């Protein structure tokens, strides 16, 4: 047998002594098998766990030819000897209804193995993206204009395309509004807070029409402003038509003069 | 017994050599149990779990994912591709750093890179188009998340992290824009930096801090360079780690709708 460390033995002896109301030495001796174990005389308390009230009265079987005598209903039923050859030593205390002790929080969901069902599609899209990027880079040359010169301002001077929508707004409104308040307050703060503002728990598109409409308008607006900034603005930020005046967007230099 | 032809003998020897290599000490020290690169891998549910669980991949992926989540049409793999583009940009970016000095020489360095260094032009193009593509893909990922309502409880905070990631992506792209030190670079950054100057109250200070002076100079170049190659990538990696971790802790991909 495995040797139980002394301090653990002592601790369980203390617990046993406390439970049975005997001394620690005796409990220790009992545990080591040196004396007879103390027997608790007290009957164990039996608690009825069934919460549902018992049916008020047994409905008598509607058998017409044997009318049940009224007296037998109130009497305790006679003990039936189910198996006369065996002495029945246990009795049924209660029937606990089968219901889970813990409530499952999450419903079981249909799952598949990550390998290969997720990792293969991931690998394929990663390869496709690499191929696309290498092809693009082999065909289209990134722009490199003349060396930076702080004394020569190009006309027009355009921001990178993802800021061109803002630059376009800047040409309508005060810079404090278009250049700072809109990107900072609307773009960052409100956008971060969005999940806390939209308290509608539904995710199905038909039940969140306003949110869908809102974002679609935002996308369309940003798209239109960006396209105007990229294609329709020329020197002095004046309106130009790309098919008449050409495109004033150096990022696309190689695309425009693509042969 | 049938006599083996020479060709069969060679084939048998080749298989047994491959087996003893794959089952050998070296390979089993590299690949953990359950790896398809080990000897005796068979395609079983248990081994499919091991491929992820006994692997560094377990840091990124759970063993099992929701069935609808692996449909390409649900996420369009946009988050994964954002991350992958970031990795491509890191690799090509480190390569570019070997040939680039963030000083008055920056422009010449880029010219030389394009004309006299093997694959210089290709790698520069990949870095630049990849950066534009990443901005686009991150934006599309955000739109996908929005249309699925995937920012709703319990994923609110991952959306907040996402907006920070978008911001960092834009900042990375913007700081990189200055580095070739050509007319396109300096004036695009001047337009952006002047916008910062309109910030209420601290406008002048914000602009001065961004430009490291009153206008875009080589001091600005150095500042943007350090932000671009060190500070911002460092920060974005931390936020990405939290982002991916939250995707798993919030119960995997949202939905199905
Ligand atoms: C560098 C940029 C980003 C990277 C690398 C990234 C990566 C990922 C990945 C890999 C996922 C797993 C699901 C999927 O592929 O769609 C994901 C989910 C998610 N992302 Fe991003 N993300 C980025 C930016 C953003 C942005 C800008 C937002 C929103 C403002 C955002 C919000 C979310 C949310 C809410 C989820 C959970 C979606 C769901 O459970 O369906 N992420 N992200």
């Amino acid at each position: 047998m495995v040797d139980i460390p002394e301090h653990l033995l002592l601790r369980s002896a203390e617990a046993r002594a406390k439970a049975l109301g005997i001394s620690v030495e005796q409990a220790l001796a009992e545990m080591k098998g040196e004396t007879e174990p103390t027997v608790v005389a007290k009957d164990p308390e039996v608690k009825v766990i069934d919460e549902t009230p018992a049916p008020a009265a047994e409905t008598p079987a509607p058998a017409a030819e044997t009318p049940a005598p009224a007296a037998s209903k109130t009497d305790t039923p006679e003990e039936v000897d189910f198996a006369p050859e065996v002495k029945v030593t246990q009795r049924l205390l209660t029937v606990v209804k089968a219901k889970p002790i813990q409530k499952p929080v999450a419903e079981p969901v249909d799952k598949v193995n990550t390998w290969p069902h997720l990792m293969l599609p991931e690998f394929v899209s990663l390869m496709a993206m690499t191929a696309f990027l290498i092809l693009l880079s082999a065909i289209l040359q990134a722009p490199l204009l003349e060396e930076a010169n702080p004394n020569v301002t190009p006309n027009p001077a355009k921001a990178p395309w993802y800021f061109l929508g803002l630059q376009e707004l800047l040409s309508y409104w005060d810079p404090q509004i278009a250049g700072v308040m809109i990107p900072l307050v609307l773009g960052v703060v409100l956008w971060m807070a969005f999940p806390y503002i939209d308290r509608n728990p539904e995710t199905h598109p038909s039940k969140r029409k306003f949110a869908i409409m809102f974002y679609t308008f935002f996308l369309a607006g940003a798209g239109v402003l960006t396209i105007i900034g990229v294609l329709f603005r020329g020197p002095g930020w004046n309106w130009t038509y790309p098919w008449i005046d050409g495109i004033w967007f150096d990022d696309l230099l190689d695309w425009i003069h693509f042969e | 017994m049938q006599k083996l032809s020479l060709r069969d003998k060679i084939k048998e020897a080749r298989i047994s050599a491959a087996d003893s290599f794959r089952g050998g000490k070296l390979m089993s020290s590299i690949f953990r149990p359950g790896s398809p690169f080990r000897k005796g891998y068979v395609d079983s549910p248990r081994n499919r779990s091991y491929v992820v669980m006994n692997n560094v991949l377990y840091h990124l992926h759970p063993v099992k994912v929701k069935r609808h989540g692996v449909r390409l049409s649900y996420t369009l793999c946009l988050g994964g591709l954002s991350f992958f583009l970031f990795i491509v940009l890191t690799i090509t970016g480190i390569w570019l750093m070997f040939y680039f000095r963030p000083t008055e020489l920056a422009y010449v360095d880029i010219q030389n890179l394009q004309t006299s260094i093997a694959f210089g032009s290709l790698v520069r193009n990949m870095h630049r188009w990849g950066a534009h593509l990443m901005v686009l893909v991150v934006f599309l990922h955000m739109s996908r998340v929005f249309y699925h309502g995937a920012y709703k409880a319990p994923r609110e905070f991952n959306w907040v992290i996402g907006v920070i990631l978008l911001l960092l992506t834009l900042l990375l792209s913007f700081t990189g824009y200055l580095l070739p030190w050509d007319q396109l670079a300096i004036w695009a950054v001047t337009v952006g930096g002047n916008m910062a100057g309109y910030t209420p109250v601290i406008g002048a200070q914000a602009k001065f801090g961004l430009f490291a002076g009153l206008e875009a100079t080589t001091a600005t170049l150095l500042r943007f360079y350090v932000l671009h190659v060190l500070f911002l990538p460092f920060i974005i990696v931390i936020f990405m780690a939290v982002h991916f971790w939250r995707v798993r802790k919030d119960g995997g991909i949202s939905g199905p709708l």
Side-chain angles (χ1 to χ4, degrees):
Chain A
M1 214 185 90
V2 192
D3 269 334
I4 301 170
E6 199 59 38
H7 67 283
L8 291 183
L9 209 58
L10 196 64
R11 204 197 293 170
S12 50
E14 276 166 1
R16 186 175 166 80
K18 194 176 165 199
L20 299 181
I22 53 178
S23 73
V24 178
E25 292 76 34
Q26 194 189 342
L28 207 57
E30 283 172 13
M31 286 168 64
K32 287 179 178 165
E34 287 159 9
T35 53
E36 282 295 304
T38 313
V39 180
V40 189
K42 214 167 55 172
D43 264 337
E45 252 175 63
V46 175
K47 268 192 193 147
V48 180
I49 311 173
D50 197 9
E51 301 149 14
T52 49
E58 246 167 78
T59 41
E65 62 263 59
T66 50
S72 75
K73 247 188 194 172
T74 47
D75 281 352
T76 44
E78 253 176 59
E79 215 169 301
V80 186
D81 222 353
F82 287 110
E85 66 277 8
V86 182
K87 176 82 187 124
V88 178
T89 55
Q90 76 271 33
R91 63 200 165 111
L92 186 64
L93 290 181
T94 175
V95 176
V96 181
K97 265 205 195 144
K99 59 184 171 192
I101 300 170
Q102 290 175 318
K103 265 195 191 152
V105 177
E107 295 291 313
V109 278
D110 189 14
K111 288 194 169 182
V112 291
N113 270 107
T114 303
W115 169 265
H117 299 294
L118 177 60
M119 281 164 65
L120 275 189
E122 268 179 354
F123 185 71
V124 170
S125 42
L126 182 156
M127 282 292 134
M129 173 65 92
T130 313
F132 174 69
L133 186 58
I134 291 180
L135 201 69
L136 190 72
S137 306
I139 298 174
L140 294 172
Q141 182 56 45
L144 187 67
L145 311 186
E146 310 82 58
E147 186 165 5
N149 185 348
N151 301 320
V152 179
T153 314
N155 190 3
K158 288 190 178 182
W161 64 267
Y162 36 82
F163 290 146
L164 272 187
L166 277 181
Q167 201 179 349
E168 175 66 18
L169 275 187
L170 212 56
S171 68
Y172 309 140
W173 293 333
D174 183 80
Q176 288 223 349
I177 295 183
V180 181
M181 298 321 270
I182 288 183
L184 237 54
V185 176
L186 287 184
V188 178
V189 178
L190 270 185
W191 203 221
M192 274 191 195
F194 196 85
Y196 303 96
I197 297 169
D198 174 11
R199 296 316 295 166
N200 172 12
E202 299 289 344
T203 55
H204 198 272
S206 66
K207 288 180 182 139
R208 47 193 291 264
K209 290 194 174 128
F210 179 75
I212 298 266
M213 204 171 66
F214 168 81
Y215 193 80
T216 308
F217 271 117
F218 161 73
L219 269 189
V224 167
L225 285 176
T226 306
I227 289 173
I228 291 177
V230 171
L231 295 178
F232 293 88
R233 290 295 180 184
W237 211 255
N238 290 316
W239 188 272
T240 54
Y241 291 100
W243 51 90
I244 298 173
D245 314 286
I247 297 174
W248 305 82
F249 187 64
D250 293 328
D251 248 329
L252 294 181
L253 213 55
D254 197 53
W255 306 44
I256 299 162
H257 303 292
F258 188 72
E259 255 113 306
Chain B
M1 202 180 126
Q2 201 187 336
K3 198 164 167 269
L4 287 176
S5 71
L6 184 60
R7 180 189 269 173
D8 286 341
K9 274 186 189 156
I10 293 175
K11 189 178 168 197
E12 207 166 68
R14 206 189 63 219
I15 289 174
S16 87
D19 263 8
S20 67
F21 176 64
R22 296 216 308 166
K25 277 216 170 99
L26 178 67
M27 290 303 267
S28 30
S29 76
I30 299 174
F31 298 107
R32 305 202 61 234
S35 165
F37 298 108
R38 273 198 169 204
K39 189 186 163 190
Y41 177 83
V42 282
D43 191 25
S44 65
R46 183 193 174 90
N47 270 344
R48 284 180 176 197
S49 306
Y50 276 160
V51 169
V52 179
M53 199 162 64
N54 269 351
N55 196 298
V56 68
L57 283 170
Y58 202 33
H59 284 283
L60 217 54
H61 279 317
V63 168
K64 287 193 165 195
V65 286
K66 291 180 194 160
R67 186 182 293 277
H68 81 92
V70 303
R71 284 202 344 256
L72 208 57
S73 59
Y74 190 75
T75 65
L76 302 169
C77 213
L78 286 168
L81 284 178
S82 313
F83 180 50
F84 179 63
L85 278 169
F86 176 76
I87 295 187
V88 170
L89 288 167
T90 307
I91 295 169
T92 52
I94 290 174
W95 192 89
L96 289 173
M97 280 174 77
F98 287 127
Y99 304 104
F100 181 83
R101 285 162 290 182
T103 60
E104 302 80 27
L105 297 168
Y107 182 73
V108 181
D109 281 348
I110 297 284
Q111 273 184 328
N112 286 338
L113 179 80
Q114 292 199 348
T115 51
S116 39
I117 287 161
F119 297 114
S121 220
L122 181 73
V123 178
R124 176 176 177 235
N125 291 349
M126 279 177 73
H127 195 74
R128 192 169 181 115
W129 301 135
H132 285 307
L133 212 56
M134 181 170 166
V135 173
L136 192 70
V137 170
V138 170
F139 195 81
L140 292 178
H141 168 61
M142 179 175 82
S143 307
R144 185 300 275 175
V145 167
F146 190 95
Y147 280 121
H148 281 164
Y151 55 82
K152 304 195 172 192
R155 296 183 177 78
E156 298 104 323
F157 191 64
N158 219 13
W159 172 272
V160 176
I161 296 169
V163 175
I164 295 174
L165 283 174
L166 175 68
L167 227 72
L168 287 170
T169 308
L170 289 174
L171 280 176
L172 269 166
S173 196
F174 185 65
T175 49
Y177 215 80
L178 181 66
L179 302 187
W181 203 236
D182 63 348
Q183 279 291 73
L184 183 58
I186 188 176
W187 290 102
V189 167
T190 301
V191 171
N194 283 340
M195 274 194 212
Y198 294 119
T199 316
V201 188
I202 53 157
Q205 285 85 344
K207 189 175 156 188
F208 192 90
L210 200 64
F211 281 161
L214 293 174
E215 52 174 24
T217 60
T218 46
T220 322
L221 182 60
L222 179 61
R223 177 155 300 193
F224 275 39
Y225 178 74
V226 174
L227 289 176
H228 185 76
V229 305
L230 207 71
F231 181 74
L232 293 170
F234 181 71
I235 301 289
I236 204 173
V237 163
I238 292 175
F239 277 97
M240 278 187 188
V242 180
H243 194 61
F244 301 159
W245 176 78
R246 275 307 291 250
V247 170
R248 281 178 71 170
K249 291 295 156 183
D250 292 340
I253 295 301
S254 63
L257 289 185

